[in-house]
Amino acid sequence: MTTKPMLFKRLSEYFQQLESTSLRLKITEILAEMFKDAEKEEIGKLCYLLQGRVTPLYDSTEFGVADKMMIRAVAQGLDIETDQVLKEFKKMGDLGSATEKLKIKTPDAGPDLKDPQGLTLNDLKLIDVYEILYQVATSSGEGSQEVKVNLLSNLIKQIDPLSARYIVRLTLDKLRLGFSDMTVLDSLSWMIKGSKELRPEIERAYNLRPDLGYISQRIKDKGIKGIKHVQPVIGTPILMAKADRLKNSKEILEKIGRCAVEFKYDGLRLQVHYKKSNNFVKLFSRNLEDLTPCFPDISESVKKSVAADEAIFEGEIVAYNPQTGVNVAFQQTMQRRRKYDIEKKAAEIPVKLYVFELLYQSGKNLIGLPYRKRKGLLKKMIKEDAVLKYANETIVEKEEEIEQLFDDSVVEGYEGIIAKRLDGVYQAGMRGFSWIKFKRAMSKKLMDTFDVLVMGYTFGEGKRTIFGVGEFLTGVYDESQDKFVSITKIGTGLTDEQFREFKKRIAKLEIKEKPQRYLVDKLLEADVWLRPALVVEISADELTRSQVHTAGRILGLSKSGKAEKVTAPGYSLRFPRLERFRDDKKPEGVTTVLEIMSMFKSQGERE
Ligand code: AMP
């Protein structure tokens, strides 16, 4: 049976539908419909395009097209002056919509001959457009700018106006359809089952291989059976496990009994992929960002000191002072996360990698083994050298032992400890009690800091006007809705230095409208919205309930059924203070509403 290939135009119509709603269920249904419409050769590519990419998220391929280049491509494609494009762009504030409008005004820009199957020549197939976009993203080196402009201008010339809108946005990384991979997983379940029932199973496969292209293709091809036996592969990161929290050693022992305690190193989480036969090393951050270029010193050590044909293992990178050998602050380690001057910085700020997990070794998936076994294999596999260090563990069964280790950790300048369940499996992509963090108390009431997303800001008054920012609105992640909800504003406690740093970091994040994924009360509307990208860690005095913040807030209908009223207040933070910028975390990696609720509960117990 020959099936009709999906046209890019059809995809653009789906994009348009997706753009017009912020309801998660509706988005799920639209995506499921679209997936049904696609063939198995198309669905994977379609998933990448939905993410505004041509490869999985962990692949570093980017389009590398800036506004200026795109303006040239549009002008060339429509055979008009760049000034005209610029004028429309300024008027509309979005180059995609501007291109669409200009394209409608210049309808004869592309050929429009009927072909024998009744398609017009500007009905380009999804697969064809994908191939062209792939070429745009992968052309590099000298002359590549011209190549990109030519490819894009030809595409814009041929394609219909609506598709031109989305191609421009997609290539400029401005697609922003307002959902995360989790909603896509729901939709894959919806495609085969008409409900979200299969999401846990699909998510399990995704946690091991977070490549939507691969997962969707397997499901399209073989149904849910297609992902039953997904295994890790070298080169594709496994989603990293996260630690849960408890408030004291008693609770830890009650929860997991006799356990292993390791120091909580304060640095940058790293997952190492190694294949001996071709000297392959790839280093991924917790965000699945490819950090290989930043740490040639770690790659060298891995090649020399790992005794295995293949391995996937994890550790924490910590920088140290080369004169004293003493580990230094997190901010210094973060300075190694850079694209330039790598050799120079590596000498100035050397690092160690404290390894604490082994997930895969020579064809064997180890994540289902108990912690003790994995750690034993890891110890055997690593030969310690100047860079690679084995993260020692102490097996404990008494509260005093945990407390002693906690005190030692503080004295030695670590962040605290992590207690690990001896028979715990590695919970890819999940937060669970296999790992329990116990950090230096930031306040009497709160036992942990919060990672929050900076959503927008209000203009400043008085002294702050020199920075143009009064307060930053921040939020946490509501997993059930796949949305960001507000939790607190920070501003008064910031130093001038911190304001400056903020200003620098938000420069490229400002957007015209509030993203659909932000749920914010009218009373807290920001003057300027920021797209979801900047994550900061904050501490606070306590968690309180709040009528205006949307984190955990439940709205119901008033008696008349017309107005919405608060049936359960939200949560907020008292006296929030900025601890640091968390470039290693992505928006969906911030503290979740569920965590906030559980921290609120245990705060009550601490009083
Ligand atoms: P948090 O970022 O506060 O949720 O704490 C979890 C993080 O602690 C992990 O993602 C690691 O980056 C870090 N970490 C430091 N030392 C260890 C360790 N020994 N075992 C596991 N994670 C560790």
Side-chain angles (χ1 to χ4, degrees), residues 124-198:
L124 285 175
K125 291 185 211 119
L126 164 82
I127 297 275
D128 297 333
V129 175
Y130 171 86
E131 289 308 329
I132 297 169
L133 292 178
Y134 188 85
Q135 284 179 43
V136 173
T138 50
S139 63
S140 62
E142 213 180 315
S144 64
Q145 290 219 353
E146 268 333 286
V147 174
K148 287 179 202 254
V149 169
N150 288 338
L151 285 166
L152 284 167
S153 67
N154 265 330
L155 194 52
I156 292 165
K157 189 188 183 99
Q158 290 179 64
I159 206 124
D160 61 283
L162 185 68
S163 299
R165 180 208 294 182
Y166 290 111
I167 284 171
V168 168
R169 285 195 194 155
L170 208 150
T171 326
L172 289 173
D173 190 22
K174 294 204 167 120
L175 196 53
R176 319 245 154 79
L177 292 171
F179 51 85
S180 75
D181 283 10
M182 292 306 125
T183 301
V184 175
L185 299 185
D186 279 344
S187 310
L188 289 170
S189 165
W190 206 279
M191 168 180 73
I192 38 182
K193 200 78 192 198
S195 76
K196 295 183 191 171
E197 195 186 317
L198 299 172

Coordinates of all heavy atoms in Angstrom, one line a residue, residues 124-198:
L124 N 5.7 21.3 -0.7 CA 6.8 20.5 -0.4 C 6.5 19.5 0.7 O 5.8 19.7 1.7 CB 7.9 21.4 0.1 CG 8.7 22.3 -0.9 CD1 9.6 23.2 -0.3 CD2 9.4 21.3 -1.9
K125 N 7.2 18.3 0.6 CA 7.0 17.3 1.6 C 7.7 17.6 2.8 O 8.8 18.2 2.8 CB 7.4 15.9 1.0 CG 6.6 15.4 -0.1 CD 7.1 14.0 -0.5 CE 6.8 13.8 -2.0 NZ 8.0 13.5 -2.7
L126 N 7.2 17.1 3.9 CA 7.9 17.2 5.2 C 9.3 16.7 5.2 O 10.2 17.4 5.6 CB 7.1 16.4 6.3 CG 7.8 16.1 7.6 CD1 7.7 17.3 8.5 CD2 7.1 14.9 8.2
I127 N 9.5 15.5 4.5 CA 10.8 14.9 4.5 C 11.8 15.8 3.7 O 12.9 16.0 4.1 CB 10.7 13.5 3.7 CG1 9.8 12.6 4.5 CG2 12.0 13.0 3.4 CD1 10.5 11.8 5.6
D128 N 11.3 16.4 2.6 CA 12.1 17.3 1.8 C 12.6 18.5 2.6 O 13.8 18.9 2.5 CB 11.4 17.7 0.5 CG 11.0 16.6 -0.4 OD1 11.8 15.5 -0.3 OD2 10.0 16.7 -1.1
V129 N 11.6 19.1 3.2 CA 12.0 20.3 4.0 C 12.9 19.9 5.1 O 13.9 20.6 5.4 CB 10.7 21.0 4.6 CG1 11.1 22.1 5.5 CG2 9.8 21.5 3.5
Y130 N 12.7 18.8 5.8 CA 13.6 18.3 6.8 C 15.0 18.2 6.3 O 16.0 18.7 6.9 CB 13.1 17.0 7.4 CG 14.1 16.4 8.3 CD1 14.1 16.7 9.7 CD2 15.1 15.5 7.9 CE1 15.1 16.2 10.5 CE2 16.1 15.0 8.7 CZ 16.1 15.4 10.1 OH 17.0 14.9 10.9
E131 N 15.1 17.6 5.1 CA 16.5 17.4 4.5 C 17.2 18.7 4.3 O 18.4 18.9 4.5 CB 16.4 16.6 3.2 CG 16.0 15.2 3.3 CD 16.9 14.4 4.3 OE1 18.1 14.8 4.4 OE2 16.4 13.5 4.9
I132 N 16.4 19.7 3.8 CA 17.0 21.0 3.5 C 17.4 21.7 4.9 O 18.5 22.2 5.0 CB 16.0 21.9 2.8 CG1 15.7 21.3 1.4 CG2 16.6 23.4 2.6 CD1 14.6 21.9 0.6
L133 N 16.5 21.6 5.8 CA 16.9 22.2 7.1 C 18.1 21.5 7.8 O 18.9 22.1 8.4 CB 15.7 22.1 8.1 CG 14.5 23.0 7.7 CD1 13.3 22.9 8.6 CD2 14.9 24.5 7.6
Y134 N 18.2 20.2 7.5 CA 19.3 19.4 8.0 C 20.6 20.0 7.4 O 21.6 20.2 8.1 CB 19.1 17.9 7.7 CG 20.2 17.1 8.4 CD1 20.0 16.7 9.7 CD2 21.4 16.7 7.7 CE1 21.0 15.9 10.4 CE2 22.3 16.0 8.4 CZ 22.1 15.6 9.7 OH 23.1 14.8 10.3
Q135 N 20.5 20.2 6.1 CA 21.7 20.8 5.5 C 22.1 22.2 6.0 O 23.2 22.5 6.2 CB 21.5 20.9 4.0 CG 21.5 19.6 3.2 CD 21.2 19.9 1.7 OE1 21.7 20.8 1.1 NE2 20.4 19.0 1.1
V136 N 21.0 23.0 6.3 CA 21.3 24.3 6.9 C 22.0 24.1 8.2 O 23.0 24.8 8.4 CB 19.9 25.1 7.1 CG1 20.2 26.3 7.9 CG2 19.2 25.3 5.8
A137 N 21.5 23.2 9.0 CA 22.1 23.1 10.4 C 23.5 22.5 10.3 O 24.4 22.8 11.1 CB 21.2 22.2 11.2
T138 N 23.8 21.6 9.3 CA 25.1 20.9 9.4 C 26.1 21.6 8.5 O 27.3 21.1 8.5 CB 24.9 19.4 9.0 OG1 24.2 19.4 7.8 CG2 24.2 18.7 10.1
S139 N 25.8 22.6 7.7 CA 26.8 23.2 6.9 C 27.7 24.1 7.8 O 27.1 24.9 8.5 CB 26.3 23.9 5.7 OG 25.5 25.0 6.1
S140 N 29.0 23.9 7.8 CA 29.8 24.7 8.7 C 31.1 25.1 8.0 O 31.4 24.6 6.9 CB 30.1 23.9 9.9 OG 30.8 22.7 9.5
G141 N 31.8 25.9 8.6 CA 33.1 26.3 8.0 C 33.0 27.5 7.1 O 31.9 28.1 7.0
E142 N 34.1 27.7 6.3 CA 34.1 28.9 5.4 C 33.0 28.8 4.4 O 32.8 27.7 3.8 CB 35.5 28.9 4.7 CG 36.0 30.3 4.5 CD 37.3 30.2 3.8 OE1 38.2 29.5 4.3 OE2 37.5 31.0 2.8
G143 N 32.4 29.9 4.2 CA 31.3 29.9 3.1 C 30.0 29.3 3.5 O 29.0 29.4 2.8
S144 N 29.9 28.8 4.8 CA 28.7 28.2 5.2 C 27.5 29.1 5.3 O 26.4 28.8 5.1 CB 28.9 27.4 6.5 OG 29.2 28.2 7.5
Q145 N 27.9 30.4 5.7 CA 26.8 31.4 5.8 C 26.0 31.6 4.5 O 24.8 31.6 4.5 CB 27.4 32.7 6.2 CG 27.9 32.7 7.6 CD 27.6 34.1 8.3 OE1 27.1 35.0 7.7 NE2 27.9 34.1 9.6
E146 N 26.8 31.6 3.4 CA 26.2 31.8 2.1 C 25.4 30.6 1.8 O 24.2 30.7 1.2 CB 27.3 31.9 1.0 CG 27.7 33.4 0.7 CD 26.6 34.4 0.9 OE1 25.7 34.5 0.1 OE2 26.7 35.2 1.9
V147 N 25.9 29.4 2.1 CA 25.2 28.1 1.8 C 23.8 28.2 2.5 O 22.8 27.9 2.0 CB 26.0 26.9 2.3 CG1 25.2 25.6 2.1 CG2 27.3 26.8 1.5
K148 N 23.9 28.5 3.8 CA 22.7 28.6 4.6 C 21.6 29.6 4.0 O 20.5 29.3 3.9 CB 23.0 29.0 6.1 CG 23.7 27.9 6.9 CD 24.0 28.4 8.3 CE 25.1 27.6 8.9 NZ 24.8 26.7 10.0
V149 N 22.1 30.8 3.7 CA 21.2 31.8 3.2 C 20.6 31.3 1.9 O 19.4 31.4 1.6 CB 22.0 33.1 2.9 CG1 21.1 34.1 2.1 CG2 22.3 33.7 4.3
N150 N 21.4 30.6 1.0 CA 20.9 30.2 -0.3 C 19.8 29.1 -0.1 O 18.8 29.1 -0.7 CB 22.0 29.7 -1.2 CG 22.8 30.8 -1.7 OD1 22.3 32.0 -1.8 ND2 24.0 30.6 -2.1
L151 N 20.1 28.1 0.8 CA 19.2 27.0 1.1 C 17.9 27.6 1.6 O 16.8 27.2 1.1 CB 19.8 26.1 2.1 CG 20.9 25.1 1.6 CD1 21.6 24.5 2.8 CD2 20.3 24.0 0.7
L152 N 18.0 28.5 2.5 CA 16.8 29.1 3.1 C 16.0 29.9 2.2 O 14.8 29.9 2.1 CB 17.1 29.9 4.4 CG 17.5 29.0 5.6 CD1 18.1 29.9 6.7 CD2 16.2 28.3 6.2
S153 N 16.7 30.7 1.4 CA 16.0 31.6 0.5 C 15.2 30.8 -0.6 O 14.1 31.1 -0.9 CB 16.9 32.6 -0.2 OG 17.8 32.0 -1.0
N154 N 15.8 29.7 -1.0 CA 15.2 28.8 -2.0 C 13.9 28.2 -1.4 O 12.9 28.1 -2.1 CB 16.1 27.7 -2.5 CG 16.8 28.1 -3.7 OD1 16.2 28.8 -4.5 ND2 18.0 27.6 -3.9
L155 N 14.1 27.8 -0.2 CA 12.9 27.2 0.5 C 11.8 28.2 0.7 O 10.6 27.9 0.4 CB 13.4 26.7 1.9 CG 12.6 25.8 2.7 CD1 12.2 24.6 1.9 CD2 13.3 25.3 3.9
I156 N 12.1 29.4 1.1 CA 11.1 30.4 1.3 C 10.5 30.8 0.0 O 9.3 31.0 -0.1 CB 11.8 31.6 2.0 CG1 12.1 31.3 3.4 CG2 10.8 32.9 2.0 CD1 13.1 32.3 4.1
K157 N 11.2 30.7 -1.0 CA 10.7 31.0 -2.4 C 9.6 30.0 -2.8 O 8.6 30.4 -3.3 CB 11.9 31.0 -3.3 CG 11.6 31.5 -4.7 CD 12.8 31.1 -5.6 CE 12.6 31.6 -7.0 NZ 13.3 32.9 -7.2
Q158 N 9.9 28.8 -2.4 CA 9.0 27.7 -2.9 C 7.8 27.5 -2.1 O 6.8 27.0 -2.5 CB 9.8 26.4 -3.0 CG 10.8 26.4 -4.1 CD 11.5 25.0 -4.0 OE1 10.9 24.0 -4.3 NE2 12.8 25.1 -3.7
I159 N 7.9 27.7 -0.8 CA 6.9 27.2 0.2 C 5.7 28.2 0.3 O 5.9 29.4 0.1 CB 7.6 26.9 1.5 CG1 6.8 25.8 2.2 CG2 7.8 28.1 2.4 CD1 7.6 24.6 2.5
D160 N 4.6 27.7 0.8 CA 3.4 28.5 1.1 C 3.7 29.5 2.2 O 4.6 29.2 3.1 CB 2.2 27.6 1.4 CG 2.5 26.8 2.6 OD1 3.2 25.8 2.5 OD2 2.0 27.1 3.7
P161 N 2.9 30.5 2.3 CA 3.2 31.6 3.3 C 3.2 31.1 4.8 O 4.0 31.4 5.6 CB 2.0 32.6 3.1 CG 1.6 32.4 1.7 CD 1.8 31.0 1.4
L162 N 2.2 30.2 5.1 CA 2.1 29.7 6.5 C 3.4 28.9 6.9 O 4.0 29.1 7.9 CB 0.9 28.9 6.7 CG 0.6 28.4 8.1 CD1 0.3 29.6 9.0 CD2 -0.5 27.4 8.2
S163 N 3.8 28.1 6.0 CA 5.0 27.3 6.2 C 6.2 28.2 6.3 O 7.1 27.9 7.1 CB 5.2 26.3 5.1 OG 4.1 25.4 5.0
A164 N 6.2 29.2 5.5 CA 7.4 30.2 5.6 C 7.5 30.7 7.0 O 8.6 30.9 7.6 CB 7.2 31.3 4.6
R165 N 6.3 31.0 7.6 CA 6.3 31.6 9.0 C 7.0 30.6 9.9 O 7.9 31.0 10.7 CB 4.8 31.7 9.4 CG 4.7 32.3 10.8 CD 3.5 31.8 11.6 NE 2.2 32.3 11.1 CZ 1.0 32.1 11.7 NH1 1.0 31.4 12.8 NH2 -0.1 32.5 11.1
Y166 N 6.7 29.3 9.8 CA 7.2 28.4 10.8 C 8.7 28.0 10.4 O 9.4 27.7 11.3 CB 6.3 27.1 10.9 CG 5.0 27.5 11.6 CD1 3.8 27.5 10.9 CD2 5.0 27.9 12.9 CE1 2.6 27.9 11.5 CE2 3.9 28.3 13.5 CZ 2.7 28.3 12.8 OH 1.6 28.7 13.5
I167 N 9.0 28.0 9.2 CA 10.4 27.6 8.8 C 11.3 28.7 9.4 O 12.4 28.4 9.9 CB 10.5 27.5 7.3 CG1 9.9 26.1 6.9 CG2 12.0 27.6 6.9 CD1 9.8 25.8 5.5
V168 N 10.9 30.0 9.2 CA 11.7 31.1 9.8 C 11.8 31.0 11.3 O 13.0 31.0 11.8 CB 11.1 32.5 9.3 CG1 11.8 33.6 10.1 CG2 11.3 32.6 7.8
R169 N 10.7 30.7 12.0 CA 10.8 30.7 13.4 C 11.6 29.5 13.9 O 12.5 29.6 14.8 CB 9.4 30.5 14.0 CG 8.6 31.8 14.0 CD 7.4 31.6 14.9 NE 6.5 32.7 14.6 CZ 5.2 32.7 14.9 NH1 4.7 31.6 15.4 NH2 4.4 33.7 14.6
L170 N 11.4 28.3 13.2 CA 12.1 27.1 13.6 C 13.6 27.3 13.5 O 14.4 27.0 14.4 CB 11.6 26.0 12.6 CG 11.6 24.6 13.0 CD1 10.5 23.9 12.3 CD2 12.9 23.9 12.7
T171 N 14.0 27.9 12.4 CA 15.5 28.1 12.1 C 16.1 29.1 13.1 O 17.3 29.0 13.4 CB 15.7 28.5 10.6 OG1 14.7 27.9 9.8 CG2 17.1 28.1 10.2
L172 N 15.3 30.0 13.5 CA 15.8 31.0 14.4 C 15.7 30.6 15.9 O 15.9 31.4 16.8 CB 15.1 32.4 14.3 CG 15.3 33.1 13.0 CD1 14.4 34.3 12.9 CD2 16.7 33.6 12.9
D173 N 15.3 29.4 16.1 CA 15.0 28.8 17.4 C 14.0 29.6 18.2 O 14.1 30.0 19.3 CB 16.4 28.8 18.2 CG 16.2 28.1 19.5 OD1 15.3 27.3 19.6 OD2 17.0 28.3 20.5
K174 N 12.9 30.0 17.4 CA 11.8 30.8 18.1 C 10.5 30.1 17.9 O 9.5 30.7 17.8 CB 11.8 32.2 17.5 CG 13.0 33.0 17.8 CD 12.8 34.5 17.8 CE 14.0 35.1 18.5 NZ 14.7 36.1 17.6
L175 N 10.5 28.8 17.8 CA 9.2 28.1 17.5 C 8.3 28.1 18.7 O 7.1 28.5 18.6 CB 9.5 26.6 17.1 CG 8.4 25.9 16.4 CD1 7.8 26.6 15.3 CD2 8.9 24.5 16.0
R176 N 8.9 27.7 19.9 CA 8.2 27.8 21.2 C 6.7 27.4 21.1 O 5.8 28.3 21.2 CB 8.2 29.3 21.7 CG 9.5 29.9 21.6 CD 10.2 30.2 22.8 NE 11.6 30.2 22.4 CZ 12.2 31.2 21.8 NH1 11.6 32.3 21.6 NH2 13.5 31.1 21.5
L177 N 6.5 26.1 21.0 CA 5.1 25.7 20.9 C 4.4 25.5 22.2 O 3.2 25.3 22.3 CB 5.0 24.4 20.0 CG 5.3 24.7 18.6 CD1 5.5 23.3 17.8 CD2 4.3 25.5 17.9
G178 N 5.2 25.6 23.3 CA 4.6 25.6 24.6 C 4.3 24.2 25.2 O 3.3 24.0 25.9
F179 N 5.2 23.3 25.0 CA 5.1 22.0 25.7 C 6.5 21.3 25.8 O 7.4 21.7 25.0 CB 4.1 21.0 25.1 CG 4.3 20.9 23.6 CD1 5.2 19.9 23.1 CD2 3.6 21.6 22.7 CE1 5.4 19.8 21.8 CE2 3.9 21.5 21.3 CZ 4.8 20.5 20.9
S180 N 6.6 20.4 26.7 CA 7.9 19.7 26.8 C 7.8 18.3 26.2 O 6.8 17.9 25.8 CB 8.4 19.7 28.2 OG 7.6 18.7 28.9
D181 N 9.0 17.6 26.3 CA 9.0 16.2 25.8 C 7.9 15.4 26.5 O 7.4 14.4 26.0 CB 10.4 15.6 26.1 CG 11.4 16.1 25.1 OD1 11.0 17.1 24.3 OD2 12.5 15.6 25.0
M182 N 7.6 15.7 27.8 CA 6.7 14.9 28.5 C 5.3 14.9 27.9 O 4.6 13.9 27.8 CB 6.5 15.4 30.0 CG 7.8 15.2 30.8 SD 8.3 13.5 30.8 CE 10.0 13.7 30.2
T183 N 4.9 16.0 27.3 CA 3.6 16.1 26.6 C 3.7 15.2 25.3 O 2.7 14.6 24.9 CB 3.2 17.5 26.3 OG1 3.2 18.2 27.6 CG2 1.9 17.7 25.6
V184 N 4.8 15.3 24.7 CA 5.0 14.5 23.5 C 4.9 13.0 23.8 O 4.2 12.2 23.1 CB 6.4 14.7 22.8 CG1 6.6 13.8 21.6 CG2 6.5 16.2 22.4
L185 N 5.4 12.6 25.0 CA 5.3 11.2 25.4 C 3.8 10.8 25.7 O 3.3 9.8 25.3 CB 6.1 10.9 26.7 CG 7.6 11.1 26.6 CD1 8.3 10.7 27.9 CD2 8.3 10.4 25.4
D186 N 3.1 11.7 26.3 CA 1.7 11.5 26.5 C 1.0 11.3 25.1 O 0.1 10.4 25.0 CB 1.0 12.7 27.1 CG 1.2 12.8 28.7 OD1 1.6 11.7 29.2 OD2 1.0 13.8 29.3
S187 N 1.4 12.1 24.2 CA 0.7 12.1 22.9 C 1.0 10.8 22.1 O 0.2 10.3 21.4 CB 1.1 13.2 22.0 OG 1.0 14.4 22.7
L188 N 2.2 10.2 22.4 CA 2.5 8.9 21.7 C 1.6 7.9 22.3 O 1.1 7.0 21.6 CB 4.0 8.6 21.9 CG 5.0 9.5 21.1 CD1 6.4 9.2 21.6 CD2 4.8 9.2 19.6
S189 N 1.4 7.9 23.6 CA 0.5 7.0 24.2 C -0.9 7.2 23.6 O -1.6 6.3 23.3 CB 0.5 7.2 25.7 OG -0.6 6.6 26.3
W190 N -1.3 8.5 23.5 CA -2.6 8.8 23.0 C -2.8 8.3 21.6 O -3.9 7.8 21.2 CB -2.8 10.3 23.0 CG -4.2 10.8 23.1 CD1 -5.1 10.9 22.1 CD2 -4.9 11.2 24.3 NE1 -6.3 11.3 22.6 CE2 -6.2 11.5 23.9 CE3 -4.6 11.3 25.7 CZ2 -7.2 12.0 24.8 CZ3 -5.5 11.8 26.6 CH2 -6.8 12.1 26.2
M191 N -1.8 8.3 20.8 CA -1.8 7.9 19.4 C -2.2 6.4 19.4 O -3.0 6.0 18.5 CB -0.5 8.1 18.7 CG -0.4 7.4 17.4 SD 1.2 7.6 16.6 CE 2.3 6.6 17.6
I192 N -1.7 5.6 20.3 CA -2.0 4.2 20.1 C -3.1 3.7 21.0 O -3.8 2.7 20.8 CB -0.7 3.2 20.4 CG1 0.1 3.8 21.5 CG2 0.0 3.0 19.2 CD1 1.4 2.9 21.8
K193 N -3.4 4.5 22.1 CA -4.4 4.0 23.1 C -5.5 4.9 23.3 O -6.5 4.6 24.0 CB -3.6 3.8 24.4 CG -4.1 2.9 25.4 CD -4.0 1.5 25.2 CE -4.8 0.7 26.1 NZ -4.5 -0.7 26.3
G194 N -5.4 6.1 22.8 CA -6.5 7.1 23.0 C -6.6 7.6 24.4 O -7.5 8.2 24.9
S195 N -5.5 7.4 25.2 CA -5.4 7.9 26.6 C -3.9 8.0 26.9 O -3.0 7.6 26.2 CB -6.0 6.9 27.5 OG -5.2 5.8 27.7
K196 N -3.6 8.5 28.2 CA -2.2 8.6 28.6 C -1.7 7.3 29.3 O -0.6 7.3 29.9 CB -2.1 9.8 29.6 CG -2.4 11.1 29.0 CD -2.2 12.2 30.0 CE -2.7 13.5 29.6 NZ -2.7 14.5 30.6
E197 N -2.5 6.3 29.2 CA -2.2 5.1 30.0 C -0.8 4.5 29.8 O -0.2 4.0 30.7 CB -3.2 4.1 29.5 CG -3.4 2.8 30.4 CD -4.3 1.9 29.7 OE1 -5.4 2.3 29.2 OE2 -4.0 0.7 29.7
L198 N -0.3 4.6 28.6 CA 1.0 4.0 28.3 C 2.2 4.9 28.6 O 3.3 4.6 28.4 CB 1.1 3.6 26.9 CG 0.0 2.5 26.5 CD1 0.1 2.3 25.0 CD2 0.3 1.2 27.2

